[in-house]
Amino acid sequence: VPERLEEGKYLLYYSRRYSPAMEEYAEELAKKNGWKIVEISLRAINAEKGHRMFYEAGVEEFLSLVKHAKYVVTNSFHGMIFAVQYRRPFVIFSREQCNTKIDEILQLFGLSDHMLVTGKEEFNHEINYDLVHERISKARAESIEYLNKELELLEDERGLAWNT
């Protein structure tokens, strides 16, 4: 991850599609906590509201901005995934046609209540990331076990040696 791009305390607002409810939620949360807003989106008008804009953040910039944020407000799968990876508090706003994989991952994490629609939902802001990462480790181990069994079946079928 590159060096820190933004000094001070900030809320990262990463929007893949404009959502008035999400923008309002981010602005209210930042104001309440005295944080500035760092935004990754193409909504140039928000620069006039004082948001620090990153219109075309690359991978390294994106990772740095997530890693150092006090809070992440997003409607992006990747925004959610990297908030979890870096143990950042977050909420993800619904984008109807994109919700299936997000719902499944949130269930795996035990964080289904962090999916918002209006921004008025009640949920537990505290995230026990030790528990979340235990759940991820367990799912990873189960996946590896499954893949190894499938490779063994292929090896038996074809006489191939996958593990050598």
Side-chain angles (χ1 to χ4, degrees), residues 57-73:
V59 172
E60 290 185 1
E61 293 89 353
F62 170 75
L63 294 176
S64 176
L65 292 171
V66 173
K67 181 177 182 176
H68 298 289
K70 286 293 183 187
Y71 205 98
V72 176
V73 176

Side-chain angles (χ1 to χ4, degrees), residues 48-92:
E48 297 170 14
K49 297 190 325 184
H51 296 197
R52 170 85 157 89
M53 303 300 294
F54 284 80
Y55 298 106
E56 295 182 17
V59 172
E60 290 185 1
E61 293 89 353
F62 170 75
L63 294 176
S64 176
L65 292 171
V66 173
K67 181 177 182 176
H68 298 289
K70 286 293 183 187
Y71 205 98
V72 176
V73 176
T74 189
N75 56 11
S76 156
F77 177 81
H78 291 96
M80 171 193 66
I81 290 296
F82 285 101
V84 170
Q85 178 65 32
Y86 290 124
R87 297 174 176 250
R88 307 288 24 151
F90 78 95
V91 292
I92 183 164

